[in-house]
Amino acid sequence: MALVVQKYGGTSVGNPERIKNVARRVLATQQAGNQVVAVVSAMSGVTDSLIKLAKEVHDMPSEREMDVLLATGEQTTIALLAMAIHSLGAKAASLTGAQAGIVTDGVHTKAKIANITPKRVHELLDAGHAVIIAGFQGETPDQQITTLGRGGSDLSAIAIAAAVKADICQIYTDVDGVYTADPRVVKDARKIPEISYDELLEMAALGSKVMQARSVEFAKKFNVVFEVRSSFNDNPGTIVKAETRSMEDVVIRGVAVDKKQAKVTVAHVPDKPGMAARIFRAVADANVNVDVIVQNVSEQGTTDVTFSVSTDDLKKALVTLEPLVKAIGAGGVTAKDGIAKVSIVGVGMKSHPGVAADMFETLAGHGINIQMISTSEIKISVVVDLKDADKAASVLHEKFGLGKK
Ligand code: ADP
Ligand code: ASP
Ligand code: MG
């Protein structure tokens, strides 16, 4: 008997019919002779509307209360899915993150999983239940409800698969795998049969929201092999696993677009040691992730420091930096949205020179202006105007031969 962990995302449980569809899939997996744990997200749109509600009450709501609020989304789904399985005459029990033994640190809205004690999960499985666990949530050692960052049900599923030593981990979503680019943006995108943790990690971190980046990081760390596939058909999906030699033959695996980007500029920073350190320490202490950083040439003893952040963190970054700007004697802090980050990713880049030049020439050839650049061993990212983002993704996808042949 195999132990299978399945995760169903928001669209897959988006209405009562779809919840019944998931109930049938869980049961079919069980009837094939397996034990099944299903980790589920909030019904699609629910988390967004809860966030909107909160913002109508307070423009910067307490992060502790946000977690209490957002956890209700997943809690609705677990109960409904358990009921749907009951209506098919089978045994199922729902568990919140806390009941499933998921313990996290106390960083509200972006908590990290510290450990999982899945005793109750095993007891219920052994008693013949399908176990339905709320994704995206956990609790601190002193019983505060926490959530794991947007898209965090992916992380719940991977972490639970590791904790229960699952034989199979399947991430069911509304596309049938990881594609060479978002199939909703690049019509020509192709499904990737196998991808390495590092490549998917970069794609996810760079805006391909098919998997939460942190979940892929976790899978890599604990070597959880998983498959991304569709809850609406039975097509084989994408297998995500450690890098193999043959993966390096492909120069570019995929193109990622992140449209939720904003640029923050701290102007006229005194040009002396320790200034950048103070700026980025303050931002880090506010739990804001900084991405591309540019510091321009110093003129008259000052420099401008510009960096990109997620639009979700923009307000927090500005609130943090305003007092600091005064303290360090900088000129001021400004923000600009309406930008996007477009990236190409592939482990093959390590052994193939000239990729950056090809990328920049292609964008130039289509009249797309590059505002910022950042690179790592296996990715190149550029910040461009939001209006150019989809076109940039399409032309790069074509340039690197990723489309349907
Ligand atoms: P879920 O609710 O199941 O977690 P998400 O909406 O978080 O699903 O992620 C699935 C979506 O990710 C797809 O509908 C697709 O538009 C988007 N996506 C972005 N980049 C990619 C990619 N490279 N491959 C597949 N899907 C992608
Ligand atoms: N419901 C949460 C979100 O929308 C978590 C998830 O769906 O993975 O971000
Ligand atoms: Mg998701």
Side-chain angles (χ1 to χ4, degrees):
M1 187 169 27
L3 173 47
V4 184
V5 171
Q6 302 184 324
K7 179 253 170 177
Y8 292 94
T11 318
S12 302
V13 294
N15 59 42
E17 248 342 289
R18 289 184 175 177
I19 290 176
K20 289 186 197 167
N21 170 54
V22 169
R24 286 189 292 270
R25 293 180 85 99
V26 168
L27 266 195
T29 310
Q30 202 185 38
Q31 280 157 4
N34 304 297
Q35 290 188 319
V36 187
V37 173
V39 176
V40 293
S41 292
M43 295 166 73
S44 59
V46 166
T47 306
D48 286 336
S49 29
L50 290 171
I51 293 172
K52 188 161 164 277
L53 261 180
K55 294 208 164 133
E56 281 167 22
V57 177
H58 194 303
D59 64 348
M60 270 189 84
S62 138
E63 292 186 330
R64 179 190 182 278
E65 302 309 331
M66 276 315 277
D67 280 351
V68 174
L69 178 69
L70 296 190
T72 63
E74 272 65 17
Q75 217 165 308
T76 304
T77 319
I78 53 171
L80 292 173
L81 179 55
M83 291 171 193
I85 295 175
H86 296 162
S87 82
L88 298 173
K91 294 207 290 191
S94 67
L95 296 175
T96 64
Q99 288 173 324
I102 302 174
V103 177
T104 73
D105 66 15
V107 182
H108 285 291
T109 78
K110 280 183 194 167
K112 287 202 170 64
I113 294 178
N115 59 73
I116 301 183
T117 313
K119 188 167 161 275
R120 230 197 207 125
V121 177
H122 285 297
E123 284 167 4
L124 287 165
L125 287 172
D126 291 343
H129 290 84
V131 179
I132 317 300
I133 302 178
F136 182 51
Q137 54 174 265
E139 71 169 5
T140 64
D142 61 344
Q143 283 89 46
Q144 305 292 324
I145 297 175
T146 50
T147 63
L148 309 175
R150 294 308 304 270
S153 299
D154 295 330
L155 176 58
S156 308
I158 303 276
I160 287 165
V164 301
K165 302 191 171 59
D167 300 292
I168 296 174
C169 177
Q170 300 169 321
I171 307 291
Y172 285 94
T173 181
D174 55 3
V175 282
D176 54 11
V178 178
Y179 278 66
T180 49
D182 187 340
R184 294 182 208 287
V185 174
V186 178
K187 290 294 163 237
D188 211 23
R190 264 184 308 130
K191 183 161 65 185
I192 304 170
E194 278 187 0
I195 189 170
S196 69
Y197 293 124
D198 286 332
E199 287 170 322
L200 183 56
L201 180 54
E202 287 285 11
M203 283 181 66
L206 295 168
S208 294
K209 75 162 192 166
V210 60
M211 286 293 295
Q212 188 209 33
R214 283 176 49 197
S215 70
V216 184
E217 211 174 342
F218 194 102
K220 181 185 176 189
K221 191 162 164 198
F222 294 96
N223 208 14
V224 179
V225 175
F226 64 94
E227 184 180 12
V228 180
R229 46 190 302 164
S230 169
S231 66
F232 301 120
N233 59 47
D234 293 314
N235 298 343
T238 300
I239 304 287
V240 187
K241 59 180 196 182
E243 186 179 327
T244 58
R245 276 220 149 241
S246 65
M247 287 180 180
E248 265 203 56
D249 297 344
V250 179
V251 184
I252 302 301
R253 183 80 56 196
V255 176
V257 179
D258 187 347
K259 296 182 178 172
K260 290 181 73 185
Q261 290 277 301
K263 216 159 62 168
V264 176
T265 300
V266 185
H268 305 301
V269 180
D271 191 11
K272 57 184 190 201
M275 291 296 115
R278 285 187 67 182
I279 293 171
F280 292 106
R281 170 57 59 205
V283 174
D285 286 347
N287 283 308
V288 171
N289 290 321
V290 169
D291 187 25
V292 188
I293 301 173
V294 176
Q295 180 174 328
N296 75 354
V297 181
S298 164
E299 270 174 50
Q300 285 133 15
T302 67
T303 74
D304 288 354
V305 176
T306 300
F307 57 90
S308 63
V309 295
S310 154
T311 48
D312 291 341
D313 284 337
L314 180 58
K315 207 170 230 165
K316 212 156 61 164
L318 293 176
V319 170
T320 307
L321 286 173
E322 266 148 19
L324 185 80
V325 160
K326 290 201 183 76
I328 63 176
V333 53
T334 52
K336 179 181 182 293
D337 52 12
I339 60 166
K341 188 171 53 181
V342 179
S343 311
I344 55 175
V345 175
V347 288
M349 228 183 257
K350 288 190 270 194
S351 46
H352 291 78
V355 176
D358 285 347
M359 179 184 194
F360 303 154
E361 276 167 16
T362 305
L363 294 173
H366 288 84
I368 297 169
N369 187 45
I370 300 171
Q371 303 181 19
M372 294 161 106
I373 298 171
S374 93
T375 64
S376 79
E377 217 184 8
I378 67 161
K379 70 117 201 248
I380 304 169
S381 300
V382 295
V383 171
V384 299
D385 233 62
L386 184 58
K387 66 167 177 27
D388 292 331
D390 288 350
K391 184 169 165 207
S394 293
V395 299
L396 292 172
H397 194 263
E398 198 187 328
K399 166 73 195 170
F400 291 102
L402 296 173
K404 298 194 177 93
K405 295 279 152 25

